[in-house]
Amino acid sequence: MNDWRERFPGVAEAEWRDWRWQQRHALRTPEALARLFPLTEAERRGLELTRASFRLGVTPYYASLIDADHPSCPIRRQAIPVAAEAAGAPGDLRDPLGEDAHRPARSVVHKYRDRVLFLAGDTCSVYCRHCTRRRITGGEEGGFDRSAMEEGVAYVRAHPEVRDVLVSGGDPLVLADERLEWLLGLLREVPHVQILRLATRAPVTNPMRVTPELARLLRRFAPLFVVTHFNHAKECTPDAAEACGLLVDAGVPVENQSVLLRGVNSTARNVRTLNEKLLTFRVRPYYLHQGDLAEGTGHLRTPLSCGLGILEELRGRTSGLAIPHLAVDLPGGLGKVTVQPSWLLGRADAGGADAGGHWFRSYEGRRAFYPDPPEADCGCPYDAVFYGDDA
């Protein structure tokens, strides 16, 4: 990693450590990037071809992590468009997760019965080139003002089945503490909302945003979980570790969702190194997402066999805490499913030598038999007492 002072001479330490300064001075033009390091032809074309279709924005902090000498640097690939981003790919969808068909209010996506996605804005500190919600974060819809958020809270209040609200966007942590406190306070006042989650890339792209004051603010709305988005161990800097530590020390659990990106992190070595490092940050690796079918991301998507192969290599070679769920968010708004390698070889049929059991393979390829118990009634008699019904 280059010392940031080499690329940003004249910037005072206090300015560099100010998250607002980082957001205000995000690099938003090809010229600003070219002043830091030479751009490749594919990058110059990508910047030109995507200028009108998707925002460009890279915080100075995140830009300081870019390897200027290697076009395949994982930070570079996530932050700077290449010409392939402007080319279509089979299966591309404007709304890859089918969210718009489930938006009863502008700021609410309600696909699952008991939980909603709450869109708190359309802006980010860094505009990731693999963004799945680029129709929103690209500025196509316009910003989300106070009335849009109040309408969303009113919808949540009117639907008592909603127990879990995921606040996302855009990145909610581009908002000032006061605006964030206002929104979280409204949601926490809804009696049936049990859990709040906040999805943010700030610990990765602008870790200065996580201040002691913010950590204490979020703790007040517990149970609240922060869901962040590290994709590569190169993002696991001391600043990122400090940001995660502030949250965890304040009592705010942090979990990570990675996206599998071809040529960026699409090997077991990369996923294992990242997740083992995150565990030292006290961040739980949760999901490894198969790339969504968002327009402009085809060059970064992997075949499903890639993710399955990674999980196969991880099992038995790192702790279970470092092995994420491989998740596929199905097109058309059908929801998220998880997949894994098949460790189950098959069932031994009744009447055979091994009747009433299943054959498995271990991560080393060895076979093992697990017998079923003779009694297969899995009912729980105490349910009727505990739940107060006739279950």
Side-chain angles (χ1 to χ4, degrees), residues 262-282:
R262 179 162 29 119
V264 174
N265 61 359
S266 50
T267 65
R269 179 183 187 180
N270 274 311
V271 174
R272 185 180 70 189
T273 302
L274 169 64
N275 289 351
E276 289 176 351
K277 187 65 174 179
L278 288 176
L279 289 174
T280 70
F281 289 7
R282 293 172 292 166

Side-chain angles (χ1 to χ4, degrees), residues 104 110 113 116 154-163 190 192-193:
H110 193 177
R113 180 184 180 277
V116 301
Y155 176 86
V156 173
R157 189 179 295 115
H159 287 77
E161 70 274 18
V162 175
R163 63 169 189 86
V190 179
H192 50 268
V193 172

Side-chain angles (χ1 to χ4, degrees), residues 29 70-71 77 88 98 122 135 186 313:
T29 65
H70 205 303
R77 292 288 307 280
D122 71 330
R135 72 194 188 283
L186 290 180
E313 288 191 53

Side-chain angles (χ1 to χ4, degrees), residues 206-222:
N206 189 5
M208 298 77 174
R209 175 64 184 98
V210 183
T211 62
E213 294 77 19
L214 174 69
R216 288 194 294 269
L217 184 158
L218 296 179
R219 178 64 179 86
R220 285 174 36 217
F221 298 104

Side-chain angles (χ1 to χ4, degrees), residues 312 343-345 359-369:
E312 181 102 31
W343 308 105
L344 178 63
L345 297 177
W359 281 99
F360 291 84
R361 68 179 176 93
S362 73
Y363 73 94
E364 298 173 310
R366 301 170 65 182
R367 285 166 56 90
F369 182 74

Side-chain angles (χ1 to χ4, degrees), residues 107-108 116-120 148-149 152-153 156 165-169 183 187:
S107 60
V108 171
V116 301
L117 169 68
F118 197 104
L119 302 174
M149 294 190 194
V153 173
V156 173
V165 177
L166 171 60
V167 180
S168 185
L183 175 59
L187 291 169

